[in-house]
Amino acid sequence: MKVNWNFSLYVQRSSILVIGLFLLALTLFTLQGMMTAEAAEGPKGPVEITVGTGAGGTPDVIMRRVAKILGEEKLVEQPIVIQNRTGGSWMVAVNWVIGKKGGYDTLMGIAQPLLTTPIVQGLKTVYDQLVPIALFVQGDLMIVAQPDSPFKSLADFVNEAKKNPRGLKFSGSQTGSTDHMVVALLEKAAGVKFNYIPYDSGSAATASFLGKNVDGLVLSLGEAVPLVQSGKVKPLAVLTEKRRANAELKDFLTAKEQGIDLVWGQFWGLAGAPGIDPGLVKWWNDRLQKMTATKAWKEGIDTNFQRSDFIDYTKAPAYMAEQHKIYLQLLRDIGLAKQ
Amino acid sequence: MEILGFLMDGFRGALTPMNLLFVFIGCLLGQIVGALPGIGPSAAMAILMPLTFGVPPTTALIMLSGIMYGGMYGGTLTSVLINVPGEAASVMTAVDGYQLAKQGRAGAALSIAAIGSFYGGVASLTAVVFLTPLLSNFALKFNAPEYFLLATMGITATASLGSGSAVKSLMVGVFGLMIAMIGTDPMVGVNRLTFGVMELMDGIDFIPVAIGIFGIGEVLASLEDRKDFVVLKTRLRDLWLTAQDWALCRMAIVRGTVVGFFVGTMPGTGPTIASLLAYAAEHRASKHPENFGKGALDAVAAAETANNAAAQGALIPMLALGIPGSQSTAVLLAALLILGIRPGPMLMSQQPGLVWTLLASMYIGNIMLLIMNLPLAPLWASILRIPYDYLMPGIIAISLVGVYATSLSLFSVGITVLFGIIGYLMLKFELPRAPIVLAIVLAPLMENSLRQSLMLSSGSLAIFVQRPISAVLLLVVLTTLALPIVRHIRDRRKRNSFDE
Amino acid sequence: MGMMEMGRNPKFHPIFSLTSKGREGCMKSSLDIVPALVMIVLSLITAFGVSSLDYWSQYTPGPAFAPYWIAAAGLVLSILLLVQTKLSNSCEKPDWPGRSGTIRILMTSFGLVLILILSSYIGMITATLIFILYLLLGILRRKLVPSLITTLITVALIYGVFVGWLRVSLPKGPFGI
């Protein structure tokens, strides 16, 4: 019968396909180096770190680096997988982790939208439902201008803005993002108004600046330094308390030095699901602390001109609460808060 | 000449057994994940990044970029064979490729896609090798006003897509625009049409929609008649390209390369938009635009050529400026950071070994992929010899799981199911489905770019004519809008004189 | 040329072209009327859904600008389609499948919704397995043994690729898969 003939051929073909794919999967397993050794305490199975951005976003890159170093330095025996749960500006991700009450294998990357999205969207505050383990990456920011512009300092830039309200243009990422908050803070600190043009992503905003469509841009130091070195941007001010000590950074003036009280930055860390075992929080805290002391970690931090001040599980909740208060106030000031 | 020397060094680096092995692994993995519905190359690069831990950074990048362009080849497979777009940039391939498969020409569609991808890839790569500094400056000249006009060009093409009346095609396009409006408005941060649903805050992604209206919709339609049918009835040797096919597609491949490459170099777009615009452009340039949507081989050639050309073109802003030109290059940049290399404008001068080995490896990879795809095209097509009844449950299952994998939420799966049913109903009401996809992808670019343009110009519309590239694009848009009207008046005159 | 002529020769106008399959003397074409009516509803939802938002903000269109214009375009197009249908006198109806075909499609759609609901309780792999069996045995009425083999191969493939290899964390059920 015709159907039977087709069928036997089909079984034959698909079995070959399946066997092939299984062999492939098996090889990849081995390559990925699945570790089976049992840790004395700590997670009992593979660990998931949930982040709310897609692959390639800053929090995603940081967490992948964490996973890589924890594995390579044999600090955590269990494999760590990064899960990108996008949607709702981190709210889908955080609600998923909150739903894993007491989960021993579920961690959440901490990033700013975790605190600011509920404020901007008028939702229930969520960061306080998670159990912070540690905050261990800080990112500083820089304001830059066009290389052929007449501005020599942030003070010059602000003076021009005073003469010409809304005349100077900033490109940045979406409304309510760090870029947007920094520009709002600068407006507040200097008593001026800019024309802020939101783009879909930070890199689109950078492209717009490099195409000479706007006058100012907020960059992380990791993005800024190569652009400064190649003469594509002119540094105006670093938004830190004191000047950074790195050789590449020591010549950049802070905003404070130029008489403008603007200190702002980003931070990242890890939190556990609600009801996570306190012993496990401490276990992770210790591992992360050891990780931040490794050479590989320090090199990564230096490459990106980030800082790694370790805020441990005892201090992290208070730190986050304080940050939340600051964000709430700022977003209310610029009319974005719905809380 | 200096560049040739660098490139030779690059080949010396890329031809080591270890690097060759990783080019092959990367291309193979890219081919497979490209073919899996939902998971695209960028997500796969992130997921498979741990495979590269422990190998030298250059080797790691070679493998990851292999996934990037390998995905462009692989995405064709599922689009053509089962009407489920394997990755975002292959969505237009599903429109015509599957119709070709139904006509027993799956092999031809796959072959032309492989040849087109190869040509587009190698031509773009050569442009990257020789012209990166020059082209990166050109790409930066494209900003909001230019993007607005490009998107407008694509959206106006919806009117002529589909075989029914223009009103119906436009109506479907408007439906797509409505879907695109859902979500947080990125310009002012307020929610639009989300009706309090948190999952809708980031908008509806177009992958679940495309998989639903094309893949699931088609499966539902197949349930109407209970016959023991096999999609592919032809013999293997009928699957190759004929001289006629080749004549039809030659120019489509060239045009696809040009459109794909330039759109790919722009920092605000990517392979998906490139293939959509190439499809729309080919529709205008083709001698048989009436075949589009019914199984036009040149449509498949243009779209598939463009997506691979764009995938390589996206390297230009990445290498010259440290700005990703696409989602996949964003992951490549992330991989650089994780491997401890700082990307930026000086990458090419500070890490020449890495950059040139990478570029050389991409030539090798494209050759490997051509070998992997071209002779095997009829073999892949013979999957359709499996009785459809036994294939169909797998199509649905792998589509739904693949969609879940893109966002890790069942909400997206729900969107797919909903649009599957909508897709079936659209088939029944003879509504073309391609305009939805075009509208969803291009609407945000169009809307945001318009608003950004007016912010840049403080409200003056003059920005669209003051910028040279924008002025040219505006002229093109106006001409393409005016052309059908002029043609209509001319036809009417002719008919009137004939009546008399 | 007047409206009468256009009515008789719908091919004449570019907008009215290509849907001239209708028969004389019939005024209802659900093929066109239903999509037009649905579009009107969607347009109204879009317009009212953004009514609380700004149409214009300072230099630029506000968040409600595009939705309003899209809704307007939707309304105009659906009215155009209705007029066109009326003028062309066409009587086309969708080519609905027969009774058994309709049942199969409804049952499959129901199965799709079921997979969605069941996934969060019994895991996505198990739900998929049940769905494939339901489709092959319940709806398509295939023979038992080939159906079982197909199900096993398909599920094993999905599990191997997505869970084993790509480590996608699919919704898990009580059995851990």
Side-chain angles (χ1 to χ4, degrees):
Chain A
M1 234 171 73
K2 198 167 181 296
V3 177
N4 279 340
W5 176 81
N6 268 338
F7 184 67
S8 68
L9 187 73
Y10 147 62
V11 170
Q12 199 185 329
R13 284 227 167 95
S14 6
S15 340
I16 292 171
L17 196 66
V18 172
I19 292 166
L21 276 167
F22 265 132
L23 283 179
L24 187 73
L26 210 68
T27 328
L28 294 168
F29 266 137
T30 340
L31 274 169
Q32 261 163 333
M34 220 177 92
M35 280 166 265
T36 43
E38 280 286 324
E41 44 189 352
K44 292 174 189 69
V47 181
E48 280 183 22
I49 299 180
T50 297
V51 290
T53 54
T58 308
D60 174 74
V61 173
I62 290 173
M63 291 311 152
R64 284 181 195 278
R65 213 160 66 206
V66 168
K68 178 177 187 248
I69 294 171
L70 285 176
E72 283 179 354
E73 302 282 333
K74 308 252 182 290
L75 288 166
V76 176
E77 299 282 298
Q78 300 291 352
I80 302 174
V81 185
I82 310 297
Q83 299 287 8
N84 303 92
R85 293 178 195 273
T86 51
S89 303
W90 284 71
M91 291 303 107
V92 168
V94 70
N95 279 321
W96 192 86
V97 174
I98 289 172
K100 290 267 165 183
K101 253 189 181 50
Y104 60 85
D105 56 355
T106 310
L107 299 180
M108 170 97 208
I110 296 174
Q112 177 221 303
L114 210 62
L115 292 94
T116 51
T117 303
I119 302 176
V120 176
Q121 298 292 349
L123 300 168
K124 207 168 144 257
T125 306
V126 284
Y127 81 92
D128 50 3
Q129 294 184 46
L130 298 167
V131 184
I133 294 170
L135 304 169
F136 47 87
V137 183
Q138 289 80 20
D140 295 324
L141 301 162
M142 181 190 260
I143 297 177
V144 299
Q146 294 290 354
D148 48 6
S149 68
F151 314 117
K152 292 202 171 61
S153 63
L154 188 62
D156 278 0
F157 194 76
V158 165
N159 281 337
E160 173 63 24
K162 274 184 186 141
K163 279 184 243 156
N164 186 3
R166 290 199 179 274
L168 290 179
K169 287 173 273 194
F170 265 95
S171 62
S173 47
Q174 308 188 350
T175 300
S177 62
T178 298
D179 301 358
H180 189 197
M181 290 198 278
V182 166
V183 173
L185 280 164
L186 180 60
E187 287 179 335
K188 209 169 106 178
V192 293
K193 281 279 169 208
F194 295 107
N195 181 2
Y196 183 83
I197 302 159
Y199 281 80
D200 310 333
S201 65
S203 53
T206 309
S208 180
F209 179 90
L210 294 177
K212 304 212 182 291
N213 296 291
V214 293
D215 307 291
L217 181 69
V218 182
L219 288 170
S220 72
L221 290 181
E223 295 165 317
V225 170
L227 290 170
V228 172
Q229 285 173 348
S230 56
K232 294 196 183 295
V233 305
K234 185 194 278 182
L236 292 182
V238 182
L239 308 182
T240 46
E241 276 296 337
K242 278 187 239 134
R243 282 202 213 181
R244 292 283 303 266
N246 310 42
E248 293 94 334
L249 301 172
K250 63 177 174 17
D251 296 332
F252 299 148
L253 296 176
T254 64
K256 272 198 154 173
E257 283 178 276
Q258 305 179 47
I260 294 160
D261 186 19
L262 175 50
V263 177
W264 197 254
Q266 295 168 290
F267 63 91
W268 296 275
L270 271 176
I276 183 177
D277 179 51
L280 196 56
V281 172
K282 187 154 182 329
W283 186 88
W284 274 109
N285 179 78
D286 294 346
R287 299 292 149 142
L288 290 169
Q289 199 147 23
K290 279 188 190 130
M291 176 198 74
T292 54
T294 61
K295 190 164 156 279
W297 175 258
K298 285 181 177 152
E299 277 173 5
I301 289 289
D302 284 344
T303 308
N304 294 296
F305 301 108
Q306 289 161 334
R307 283 179 290 122
S308 187
D309 303 334
F310 200 85
I311 301 171
D312 68 10
Y313 69 104
T314 55
K315 300 195 194 80
Y319 184 86
M320 282 174 73
E322 193 194 340
Q323 285 296 324
H324 183 258
K325 226 161 72 190
I326 296 171
Y327 288 141
L328 185 62
Q329 189 54 47
L330 173 64
L331 290 166
R332 276 184 183 154
D333 285 350
I334 57 179
L336 278 174
K338 286 208 195 66
Q339 267 190 354
Chain B
M1 279 309 102
E2 195 193 358
I3 287 174
L4 280 181
F6 283 134
L7 194 60
M8 289 318 292
D9 288 344
F11 272 106
R12 234 164 272 143
L15 285 168
T16 60
M18 162 109 146
N19 283 349
L20 272 179
L21 176 70
F22 274 83
V23 178
F24 177 72
I25 294 178
C27 292
L28 182 69
L29 296 179
Q31 173 88 24
I32 296 169
V33 291
L36 289 177
I39 288 208
S42 60
M45 286 160 75
I47 291 171
L48 299 174
M49 208 185 283
L51 276 182
T52 65
F53 294 165
V55 303
T58 310
T59 311
L61 275 187
I62 284 176
M63 193 200 93
L64 291 175
S65 68
I67 298 176
M68 174 175 86
Y69 53 86
M72 297 294 128
Y73 285 81
T76 324
L77 275 180
T78 21
S79 301
V80 170
L81 297 178
I82 58 175
N83 205 23
V84 178
E87 38 88 33
S90 288
V91 68
M92 294 321 272
T93 314
V95 177
D96 282 274
Y98 186 66
Q99 296 302 321
L100 282 165
K102 273 183 160 174
Q103 296 158 18
R105 308 225 55 215
L110 293 178
S111 305
I112 202 73
I115 295 171
S117 296
F118 177 74
Y119 181 84
V122 169
S124 299
L125 199 51
T126 310
V128 173
V129 165
F130 289 100
L131 301 172
T132 289
L134 194 74
L135 285 169
S136 68
N137 285 332
F138 178 71
L140 282 180
K141 291 203 172 22
F142 280 77
N143 205 267
E146 289 79 17
Y147 288 143
F148 170 70
L149 292 166
L150 274 180
T152 312
M153 251 187 238
I155 289 212
T156 49
T158 52
S160 50
L161 290 180
S163 49
S165 76
V167 176
K168 276 188 158 184
S169 298
L170 281 172
M171 222 168 79
V172 173
V174 168
F175 178 51
L177 293 176
M178 286 172 176
I179 296 166
M181 288 300 114
I182 297 171
T184 307
D185 175 1
M187 302 292 288
V188 290
V190 298
N191 285 334
R192 291 192 299 199
L193 305 171
T194 55
F195 304 105
V197 180
M198 190 189 67
E199 281 86 352
L200 287 176
M201 262 166 48
D202 277 0
I204 293 184
D205 186 21
F206 99 102
I207 301 245
V209 173
I211 291 181
I213 55 170
F214 292 118
I216 308 284
E218 205 68 42
V219 170
L220 288 177
S222 76
L223 286 161
E224 289 186 347
D225 300 310
R226 222 40 267 112
K227 276 177 278 169
D228 248 339
F229 77 97
V230 174
V231 179
L232 187 80
K233 296 179 201 81
T234 40
R235 285 165 305 174
L236 278 186
R237 65 183 142 105
D238 294 335
L239 293 168
W240 295 101
L241 289 169
T242 62
Q244 214 182 342
D245 294 336
W246 185 236
L248 176 71
C249 297
R250 231 171 19 201
M251 286 318 286
I253 288 176
V254 174
R255 283 189 286 263
T257 304
V258 175
V259 174
F261 176 70
F262 280 105
V263 177
T265 58
M266 296 169 201
T269 55
T272 308
I273 290 177
S275 78
L276 289 182
L277 291 178
Y279 185 93
E282 193 55 32
H283 184 252
R284 293 231 163 84
S286 170
K287 289 198 183 75
H288 309 282
E290 70 280 1
N291 286 347
F292 276 54
K294 290 184 233 157
L297 198 61
D298 45 344
V300 174
E304 280 302 315
T305 306
N307 68 24
N308 201 32
Q312 336 261 342
L315 286 173
I316 284 187
M318 174 190 140
L319 293 177
L321 305 164
I323 295 173
S326 64
Q327 260 179 318
S328 302
T329 42
V331 180
L332 270 190
L333 283 174
L336 278 177
L337 284 175
I338 293 169
L339 295 166
I341 296 165
R342 189 183 314 138
M346 279 134 79
L347 187 67
M348 280 181 111
S349 51
Q350 283 175 348
Q351 301 275 352
L354 179 131
V355 171
W356 291 102
T357 309
L358 176 67
L359 291 176
S361 82
M362 293 175 77
Y363 279 106
I364 301 167
N366 270 293
I367 295 171
M368 285 181 179
L369 282 160
L370 184 70
I371 297 170
M372 245 184 259
N373 281 276
L374 198 52
L376 294 184
L379 199 73
W380 287 118
S382 64
I383 288 179
L384 296 180
R385 284 174 188 270
I386 300 170
Y388 193 71
D389 272 3
Y390 291 109
L391 205 56
M392 190 191 84
I395 295 176
I396 296 185
I398 207 164
S399 298
L400 297 187
V401 175
V403 166
Y404 182 85
T406 58
S407 66
L408 300 180
S409 98
L410 280 170
F411 188 81
S412 314
V413 183
I415 295 283
T416 308
V417 170
L418 175 69
F419 276 88
I421 296 167
I422 292 177
Y424 171 70
L425 291 174
M426 286 176 71
L427 265 175
K428 289 286 99 182
F429 284 99
E430 294 177 19
L431 297 162
R433 290 168 293 171
I436 288 199
V437 174
L438 221 71
I440 294 184
V441 174
L442 295 176
L445 185 68
M446 188 170 159
E447 193 201 4
N448 296 339
S449 303
L450 173 65
R451 293 161 79 181
Q452 283 152 3
S453 305
L454 291 175
M455 289 180 110
L456 285 171
S457 70
S458 306
S460 157
L461 283 170
I463 190 170
F464 291 106
V465 287
Q466 279 162 351
R467 299 164 64 102
I469 299 178
S470 162
V472 173
L473 288 173
L474 185 64
L475 207 66
V476 176
V477 169
L478 291 178
T479 321
T480 47
L481 285 179
L483 220 57
I485 299 170
V486 173
R487 209 176 278 158
H488 168 62
I489 294 171
R490 206 179 51 202
D491 286 359
R492 192 147 131 183
R493 251 188 223 143
K494 241 184 238 165
R495 211 173 309 194
N496 280 348
S497 62
F498 182 74
D499 284 349
E500 281 152 18
Chain C
M1 67 161 239
M3 293 293 264
M4 294 296 286
E5 255 180 84
M6 252 159 68
R8 252 184 284 131
N9 186 1
K11 275 221 149 149
F12 222 59
H13 194 276
I15 284 176
F16 298 159
S17 64
L18 291 161
T19 49
S20 53
K21 291 176 241 161
R23 276 165 262 142
E24 293 288 326
C26 184
M27 303 291 278
K28 261 192 188 164
S29 160
S30 60
L31 187 69
D32 292 339
I33 289 175
V34 173
L37 294 180
V38 170
M39 198 64 200
I40 289 176
V41 173
L42 289 177
S43 302
L44 293 177
I45 293 176
T46 308
F48 284 112
V50 296
S51 56
S52 60
L53 303 178
D54 296 333
Y55 177 76
W56 202 266
S57 62
Q58 211 192 5
Y59 299 137
T60 70
F65 176 86
Y68 275 141
W69 280 96
I70 290 168
L75 278 180
V76 169
L77 287 168
S78 15
I79 290 166
L80 216 59
L81 189 64
L82 287 176
V83 172
Q84 170 189 340
T85 313
K86 185 127 179 126
L87 289 176
S88 68
N89 269 343
S90 90
C91 194
E92 280 187 276
K93 293 199 164 45
D95 178 22
W96 293 115
R99 205 177 111 84
S100 59
T102 311
I103 290 174
R104 271 193 299 271
I105 289 166
L106 285 177
M107 294 295 280
T108 308
S109 308
F110 171 72
L112 286 172
V113 177
L114 208 65
I115 216 179
L116 198 61
I117 298 167
L118 285 181
S119 285
S120 35
Y121 296 101
I122 59 170
M124 199 161 190
I125 292 291
T126 322
T128 308
L129 187 115
I130 294 172
F131 174 78
I132 297 175
L133 282 176
Y134 162 81
L135 205 62
L136 283 171
L137 298 173
I139 298 172
L140 301 170
R141 313 237 163 230
R142 307 307 310 195
K143 289 199 195 85
L144 183 66
V145 177
S147 299
L148 285 177
I149 296 174
T150 308
T151 311
L152 279 181
I153 291 176
T154 313
V155 172
L157 199 85
I158 290 176
Y159 188 84
V161 171
F162 285 97
V163 182
W165 177 37
L166 294 174
R167 301 272 183 92
V168 175
S169 80
L170 297 176
K172 287 194 185 92
F175 317 112
I177 44 168

